[in-house]
Amino acid sequence: MLNEKHFTGHWWIISILLLLLLIDGSLASVLAQWIMQPSFMGIPQLTLLGLVMVTLLVPEEKYTTWIAALIGLVFDSFYTGILGVNALLFALVIYIVRQIRPYIPHTAVFVGMVYIIALLLYSIANYFVNHFIGYGNSGVVTLIANHLGPGLTVNLILFVIVYGPLHRVLINLAEE
């Protein structure tokens, strides 16, 4: 039997994700006058980026879906006020990413594509959940034109900035 070493960096993963959650809120607050207008809603999603990258780059982390639900609950309590929406959606998106993880190369292009898909799934599911509970009443055209397009633009710029350092940290964490 090989001498298998179990992954023990769970607290590092949670700490990184909580830091990204705080940076999300800070960026949204600082850049709100430019990226959050009625006709242009580019909301930063660094927390989702961190969850996707942890799922793809730290395969030994078997509690990713549970961590996503916990981070989503913290996200809900800090930013939305409706507990459970992001807890459910983060866990659902990360569960889907875990299912396709074996087929995805760990290059920046493929991680970026998975992030775009995860961001689209999250945004569309968030729209439908908020519409279902009566929290939002905008149409699908408004969702696409005012939220999805600007949101993807802002988050792709953030992906280009954050990918290198976060990739290096997660790869080092996975190797320890």
Side-chain angles (χ1 to χ4, degrees):
M1 185 176 204
L2 292 174
N3 203 4
E4 292 183 18
K5 184 178 176 185
H6 295 286
F7 181 71
T8 58
H10 309 296
W11 292 107
W12 283 108
I13 298 295
I14 292 172
S15 300
I16 290 168
L17 291 172
L18 286 174
L19 179 66
L20 289 172
L21 182 134
L22 293 174
I23 293 171
D24 258 350
S26 299
L27 274 176
S29 178
V30 169
L31 301 175
Q33 62 184 344
W34 297 291
I35 64 172
M36 292 186 191
Q37 301 297 323
S39 62
F40 186 93
M41 261 324 214
I43 299 170
Q45 292 290 341
L46 288 176
T47 309
L48 186 62
L49 172 62
L51 285 166
V52 168
M53 288 184 68
V54 165
T55 304
L56 293 175
L57 301 177
V58 187
E60 299 87 18
E61 177 56 87
K62 56 186 171 192
Y63 301 112
T64 312
T65 307
W66 291 104
I67 291 172
L70 176 70
I71 294 295
L73 193 60
V74 173
F75 193 95
D76 284 337
S77 65
F78 271 45
Y79 300 125
T80 63
I82 302 174
L83 294 179
V85 174
N86 283 303
L88 171 70
L89 294 180
F90 281 173
L92 181 64
V93 169
I94 296 311
Y95 176 77
I96 293 169
V97 172
R98 282 190 69 178
Q99 301 308 307
I100 64 170
R101 176 182 60 198
Y103 311 108
I104 306 297
H106 296 165
T107 63
V109 172
F110 285 101
V111 172
M113 283 193 263
V114 170
Y115 176 55
I116 291 169
I117 292 168
L119 194 59
L120 284 171
L121 284 173
Y122 169 79
S123 298
I124 292 169
N126 196 10
Y127 167 78
F128 282 116
V129 168
N130 285 326
H131 194 70
F132 177 74
I133 62 175
Y135 195 63
N137 58 3
S138 62
V140 176
V141 173
T142 304
L143 168 73
I144 294 169
N146 295 352
H147 294 279
L148 288 181
L152 286 174
T153 304
V154 167
N155 286 297
L156 282 176
I157 292 168
L158 290 174
F159 175 79
V160 169
I161 295 168
V162 172
Y163 176 80
L166 189 56
H167 180 269
R168 199 169 311 125
V169 167
L170 291 175
I171 291 298
N172 288 339
L173 191 61
E175 289 175 355
E176 287 183 4

